[in-house]
Amino acid sequence: MAPSKKRSVKPAKGAEKCIKTAKIDLVSTVGRILESSKHGNEVFDVFEFLQFEKETNVITAVNACSSLFCTLLQRKELFRGKLPAEDDALSGDYSAVDKYHIFMRHRYNNCVEMLLEHLSHELHEVQEASLCCLMKFAAGEGQDPLEDLDWSEHYSFPRELIQAVVDRLVSRTTDKSLLISRFHEFLEKEDVRYYVMSSIRENMGQVMEKSKGEVMPVYQHNVFTLMSNISIPKEELELSNFMVTQEAKHEDWKAAKLIEHKRTFERMWLAFLKYKLPSNMYKKVLVILHDAILPHMSNPTLMIDFLTAAYDVGGAISLLALNGLFVLIHQHNLDYPDFYKKLYNLLDPSIFHVKYRARFFHLANLFLSSSHLPVYLVAAFAKRLARLALTAPPTALLIVLPFIYNLIRRHPSCRVLIHRPSSEDELLEDPYLMDEDDPARCHALESSLWEIKTLQRHYHPDVAKTAMLINTPLSQKEDNISEVLEITTFELMERDLKQTSKKSIPLEFETATQLLKVGKDVMGQHFCLE
C-alpha cells in the first residue's frame, strides 16, 4: 500500500532528544519497512538518525540505509525509468504498488544526497561508512539499473553515481587523501576504475575551466592522489574483476576493453598536465611518470612536450624529467638533439645535495654507457665532475670518483686526461672552461684530471684511498656504483666507527691539574686569567 502522507526529510526541533530517549532500534525499523509497505513512512526515522551530530548514531543510520535500500534494489521495489515528481505520482493514475515504489525511489535519492554530503563530514569514520554504502548502492544499481541506459556504450553501469562520488573526493577545499586511500579498494574493479578515470577527466574540465586554469593546490593534490592510485592491467585477459556482472557482456562495452582503459588513462593524465601545476606537484608527477604513467598509456610519445619542457626548467625538476626521457629515448625512439648538452649543464654543485642525487647518477651512468659517444663529450663530463668534486661531500665523492673511472674505462681515448705527455712548456693554467655551456667548446681534452690528484690528500681516508687508484692502471672491469648511490653521511660515520672500535687508537696527552696549567705549565707561560 502507498504511504499515508509525505514527511519532511529534516528532523523537527527536539526530535533528536526524543528519539534518543525512545531508543529506537533501527534494525527493527528497517525490518518493518521491508516486511510491509504500510511502514514505509518509518524511513524518515532512519533519515533523522542520519542527520544527527553524534558519530555512533550517524554510522548506525548509514548501515541501516545500506541494508534497507540494497534489499529494495535487489527486490526491484524501487521505481524504474524516468522518475515522476512525487506530488504528481500521488495524485496521478498509478497503482498503490507503483506509488509506493515511486515514494521509495524518492527516498533512495534523498539518502544518496545525504550520504554524498557525509563524504565531507568532519569525522573520517562517517565519511568512510558513507563511501562504502554509496559503493554498495552502485553495485546494486549495476545489477538492476534504475534508468534506461545506453547499453551499446555504457552497459548497465551507474556512472552518474560514480561521478557524484568522484566530485566529492576531489574537493577544492579539503584534503581527501585519507578517504581516497580507502577508495583504492574499489579501484581494483575494472569497470569502476574505467568510469572513475572518465569522471576525473570530466570534473577537471569543469573545475579548471571555471578557474581559468589557475593553480589550485588542494584540488590538484586530491586529483593527483586519486589518479596516482590507478594502474592499468598489462594484458587483456587480466580484465576479469568487474563490479557489474551479468551473464553476457555486450561486445561494445568500453570498460571491458584494455585499449579503452589505456586511452581513458592517457586522456585523464593529459588533461591534468595541461594546466599549470605547483612546483611540488610537478615533482610528484615526474617521480612516478616513468613507471606508473608511461607504461599504461596507449601512446607514450604524447608526453614528449611535457617532459622536454620539464627538462628545460632546471634544478630538481630537470633531474626528475630524466627518468621519463630515458624511457622515451630508449623505448620510443625520441630524438632530442641537445639532450647531452642539457645533461652536461645540469652538473653543478647542487647536484650533490639534492634529494634525487642517486636517481640522477644512476640515469647519467646509463646515458653515458654507450661506447659510440664522441670522446670530447665524455671528456667534458669527466672533467666537469672532477672539478665539482673539489667541493663535494665525502658521500658524493665516493660516487663521483668511480663514475669518472668508468667513463675512462669505456672510452680509452680519455686516458690522455690521466697520462698527458709532458712538454717543454708546462701549462701554467688549466685550459678547461668551467663556465662554457657547450661541452664541445670547453677544451676538456686539452686539460687533465689534476683535481683527482688533489683529492688524494682528502681528509676522509676512503676518499683519499679511492683517489689513489688513478695512480695505477685502471682495471678493465667497471666499478658497480649502485652500491654507493644511496650511502648517507650517517652510514659512512657508522661504518668508520665500527672499524675504529676494533682498533686501539694511541693517544698522547698530559693530564691537567688546574685551569691553564698542564704538565710543565706551558699554558700558564702564555696565558693568564685576570
Side-chain angles (χ1 to χ4, degrees):
M1 62 183 291
S4 58
K5 62 178 181 178
K6 180 180 176 183
R7 290 171 53 184
S8 172
V9 176
K10 295 183 178 180
K13 293 182 179 180
E16 181 175 347
K17 182 177 180 180
C18 295
I19 293 177
K20 282 182 180 179
T21 304
K23 295 183 179 179
I24 293 178
D25 187 349
L26 290 184
V27 176
S28 301
T29 302
V30 171
R32 288 194 299 274
I33 297 172
L34 294 175
E35 182 181 352
S36 173
S37 60
K38 68 181 181 180
H39 298 291
N41 276 327
E42 293 189 35
V43 69
F44 291 103
D45 295 333
V46 180
F47 286 173
E48 286 174 349
F49 265 78
L50 196 60
Q51 298 181 82
F52 287 169
E53 294 182 1
K54 191 174 180 180
E55 173 190 349
T56 54
N57 287 338
V58 177
I59 294 179
T60 302
V62 170
N63 294 332
C65 288
S66 175
S67 175
L68 172 62
F69 289 109
C70 285
T71 303
L72 291 176
L73 280 166
Q74 188 176 6
R75 290 182 181 179
K76 299 184 179 181
E77 293 183 5
L78 297 180
F79 185 82
R80 277 162 171 73
K82 186 176 180 181
L83 182 65
E86 196 166 359
D87 292 335
D88 295 341
L90 292 176
S91 60
D93 187 17
Y94 291 94
S95 67
V97 174
D98 285 341
K99 288 181 179 180
Y100 176 73
H101 289 179
I102 292 172
F103 171 79
M104 294 308 293
R105 172 72 181 280
H106 277 284
R107 303 292 75 76
Y108 172 75
N109 291 346
N110 294 149
C111 180
V112 169
E113 290 174 5
M114 286 186 283
L115 291 174
L116 288 171
E117 290 178 3
H118 280 335
L119 293 182
S120 301
H121 198 277
E122 58 183 5
L123 297 175
H124 173 70
E125 290 75 10
V126 174
Q127 296 180 24
E128 186 176 2
S130 301
L131 176 64
C132 293
C133 184
L134 287 167
M135 294 309 294
K136 287 180 181 179
F137 288 170
E141 285 191 40
Q143 298 302 322
D144 298 292
L146 297 175
E147 302 284 351
D148 296 327
L149 301 176
D150 182 2
W151 286 69
S152 64
E153 180 178 357
H154 296 294
Y155 198 36
S156 58
F157 194 87
R159 59 190 186 278
E160 291 185 2
L161 180 54
I162 294 298
Q163 177 75 61
V165 172
V166 169
D167 289 345
R168 279 14 178 238
L169 289 177
V170 291
S171 170
R172 282 175 265 184
T173 57
T174 309
D175 187 346
K176 293 289 186 179
S177 300
L178 194 58
L179 189 60
I180 291 173
S181 66
R182 180 65 178 84
F183 187 67
H184 182 261
E185 170 192 333
F186 303 103
L187 293 176
E188 296 177 0
K189 303 290 186 181
E190 320 294 354
D191 45 0
V192 174
R193 182 173 58 242
Y194 176 81
Y195 286 102
V196 165
M197 291 189 295
S198 299
S199 299
I200 293 173
R201 182 179 173 226
E202 184 175 339
N203 180 275
M204 282 191 291
Q206 296 171 354
V207 173
M208 300 307 290
E209 183 178 350
K210 291 180 181 178
S211 65
K212 298 181 180 180
E214 66 181 18
V215 175
M216 304 176 67
V218 176
Y219 173 75
Q220 289 171 316
H221 170 74
N222 287 329
V223 172
F224 174 78
T225 303
L226 183 54
M227 293 196 305
S228 59
N229 278 288
I230 297 175
S231 59
I232 307 298
K234 295 181 180 180
E235 301 293 339
E236 190 91 39
L237 295 175
E238 296 180 29
L239 291 175
S240 58
N241 184 17
F242 292 87
M243 184 180 75
V244 177
T245 56
Q246 294 190 17
E247 294 181 0
K249 292 185 174 65
H250 200 283
E251 294 180 358
D252 295 331
W253 192 33
K254 292 184 177 182
K257 297 181 179 181
L258 181 60
I259 186 63
E260 294 296 336
H261 278 257
K262 288 191 172 185
R263 286 174 180 169
T264 306
F265 180 86
E266 178 179 274
R267 291 166 185 162
M268 174 187 69
W269 275 106
L270 290 175
F272 180 70
L273 297 177
K274 76 177 182 179
Y275 297 106
K276 186 177 180 180
L277 301 175
S279 178
N280 62 333
M281 183 59 63
Y282 219 143
K283 295 176 183 178
K284 289 179 180 179
V285 172
L286 291 170
V287 165
I288 67 170
L289 185 67
H290 67 288
D291 61 354
I293 301 178
L294 290 179
H296 302 309
M297 296 180 67
S298 59
N299 185 12
T301 56
L302 292 174
M303 283 290 185
I304 289 177
D305 290 341
F306 173 75
L307 283 169
T308 52
Y311 194 47
D312 291 334
V313 169
I317 290 178
S318 293
L319 300 184
L320 293 173
L322 281 174
N323 261 124
L325 287 173
F326 175 77
V327 173
L328 294 182
I329 289 174
H330 284 261
Q331 298 180 15
H332 302 281
N333 301 318
L334 170 64
D335 183 19
Y336 196 135
D338 294 328
F339 175 79
Y340 284 100
K341 180 179 177 180
K342 182 65 180 177
L343 182 64
Y344 176 78
N345 285 289
L346 287 179
L347 296 176
D348 58 36
S350 66
I351 199 69
F352 301 124
H353 306 280
V354 294
K355 180 180 178 181
Y356 313 103
R357 180 184 68 188
R359 180 194 294 252
F360 171 77
F361 279 102
H362 169 72
L363 291 171
N365 188 51
L366 292 175
F367 282 122
L368 295 171
S369 61
S370 173
S371 58
H372 299 289
L373 295 175
V375 64
Y376 77 84
L377 182 66
V378 179
F381 275 92
K383 180 61 181 178
R384 191 175 185 91
L385 284 170
R387 182 64 61 84
L388 293 173
L390 292 175
T391 56
T395 52
L397 291 174
L398 295 179
I399 301 174
V400 170
L401 292 175
F403 191 98
I404 295 174
Y405 296 158
N406 286 345
L407 291 179
I408 296 174
R409 289 186 179 103
R410 295 169 195 160
H411 304 272
S413 299
C414 289
R415 292 181 183 272
V416 67
L417 297 175
I418 304 175
H419 305 292
R420 178 168 298 283
S422 59
S423 59
E424 294 182 1
D425 300 326
E426 293 292 339
L427 296 177
L428 299 178
E429 294 183 357
D430 190 340
Y432 173 68
L433 302 177
M434 184 69 177
D435 295 331
E436 174 58 52
D437 294 338
D438 190 348
R441 301 179 179 179
C442 66
H443 304 293
L445 273 176
E446 302 170 19
S447 182
S448 65
L449 298 179
W450 58 265
E451 296 89 350
I452 298 182
K453 195 78 172 178
T454 303
L455 291 174
Q456 292 176 1
R457 295 173 177 256
H458 196 274
Y459 69 88
H460 198 284
D462 289 348
V463 174
K465 181 180 178 181
T466 306
M468 292 292 289
L469 295 176
I470 205 169
N471 295 339
T472 60
L474 295 176
S475 62
Q476 294 297 321
K477 184 179 179 180
E478 292 189 10
D479 295 325
N480 184 10
I481 66 170
S482 61
E483 298 177 355
V484 292
L485 285 178
E486 301 287 350
I487 194 169
T488 63
T489 303
F490 177 78
E491 293 172 342
L492 202 59
M493 291 180 65
E494 284 289 305
R495 188 176 67 184
D496 292 342
L497 289 173
K498 288 179 181 179
Q499 292 176 352
T500 55
S501 64
K502 300 177 182 179
K503 304 176 183 178
S504 58
I505 303 175
L507 299 175
E508 183 178 356
F509 64 93
E510 296 182 35
T511 305
T513 57
Q514 55 184 300
L515 187 62
L516 297 185
K517 282 196 174 184
V518 181
K520 298 179 181 181
D521 198 18
V522 177
M523 291 289 291
Q525 295 177 10
H526 301 282
F527 298 93
C528 65
L529 293 177
E530 294 183 359

